[in-house]
Amino acid sequence: PENGYTVKYGTAEGTYDSDSLTYTNAGVYTVYYQVTADQYKTVTGSATVEITARVPADLTIQLSSNTYYYYAKARKPSVTVKDGDTVVPESEYRVTYKNNIHAGTATVKIISFSNGNYSFREERNFTIKPKNVHMKWTKLTFTYDGKYHLPLAKAIGVYPADENKYTVQMTGSGRNVGRYIARAIGLDND
């Protein structure tokens, strides 16, 4: 009949207790139905409904910061993913970081879960700048005694993990009377 019938739905065969069913997450669902009408035989059956993952047309990735300074530990900016104006829940993707400790270019990978409601794979870069440090030189003047002499240097502003990552080198022997140039080398923010 064109009217005068009732359709009921269920999530299991033989159970038709809903006027409608609503699915919102990506997946494949089986919907069971029952159609009844006076003077007609009851009809039952099922249909498969598939909701596919959304591929955002207007995906934006925002990092909490695009620039950091080296500090001897991993830098991990927080990530916000948007599909247009809609924030994609963090439960829909995973975030991994690469090259995010030392000064240079670091990478954030944002990949949707394969069984989620979205489908995307993105990368964003951020910068880790070298930390500014300076050297404090001591013991710069020596009296000739026939021995080798090397001035002392201490890096100021370095993190404990980097305190012993530099050496002092000097041009010349540092043994005879004269002027010499000393350099601290090896402190490169890694």
Side-chain angles (χ1 to χ4, degrees):
E2 289 186 26
N3 53 34
Y5 59 90
T6 303
V7 179
K8 292 284 190 177
Y9 300 95
T11 56
E13 189 172 7
T15 306
Y16 311 106
D17 54 4
S18 298
D19 291 332
S20 66
L21 291 177
T22 302
Y23 296 101
T24 56
N25 292 322
V28 177
Y29 303 93
T30 301
V31 177
Y32 296 90
Y33 60 86
Q34 177 186 57
V35 180
T36 57
D38 288 339
Q39 309 296 317
Y40 289 90
K41 182 179 175 183
T42 298
V43 177
T44 60
S46 65
T48 301
V49 176
E50 181 177 8
I51 300 173
T52 59
R54 178 176 172 77
V55 178
D58 187 20
L59 185 71
T60 57
I61 308 288
Q62 187 175 26
L63 303 180
S64 58
S65 179
N66 290 315
T67 305
Y68 290 91
Y69 281 93
Y70 170 78
Y71 85 135
K73 294 181 183 176
R75 292 293 195 170
K76 294 183 177 184
S78 61
V79 175
T80 301
V81 178
K82 287 187 176 183
D83 177 12
D85 291 332
T86 303
V87 174
V88 176
E90 291 179 20
S91 60
E92 292 288 342
Y93 57 89
R94 74 176 174 273
V95 176
T96 58
Y97 299 88
K98 183 178 175 185
N99 299 325
N100 62 323
I101 297 174
H102 307 296
T105 301
T107 303
V108 182
K109 288 186 181 182
I110 308 99
I111 303 171
S112 60
F113 290 118
S114 60
N115 60 346
N117 292 315
Y118 290 87
S119 178
F120 57 86
R121 175 183 293 262
E122 296 286 326
E123 284 189 8
R124 295 295 183 270
N125 292 328
F126 64 96
T127 301
I128 300 175
K129 293 182 176 183
K131 184 178 187 316
N132 294 324
V133 298
H134 68 276
M135 302 302 292
K136 180 178 180 181
W137 293 91
T138 58
K139 216 140 169 64
L140 297 173
T141 304
F142 301 93
T143 301
Y144 176 77
D145 60 6
K147 297 179 182 175
Y148 293 101
H149 295 279
L150 193 62
L152 299 176
K154 173 145 179 79
I156 307 299
V158 296
Y159 294 102
D162 294 329
E163 282 182 355
N164 297 315
K165 289 188 176 180
Y166 62 93
T167 58
V168 175
Q169 290 183 345
M170 190 164 58
T171 59
S173 69
R175 180 177 182 179
N176 297 321
V177 174
R179 290 185 173 269
Y180 299 93
I181 297 173
R183 299 182 306 162
I185 61 168
L187 191 61
D188 59 3
N189 288 312
D190 66 0

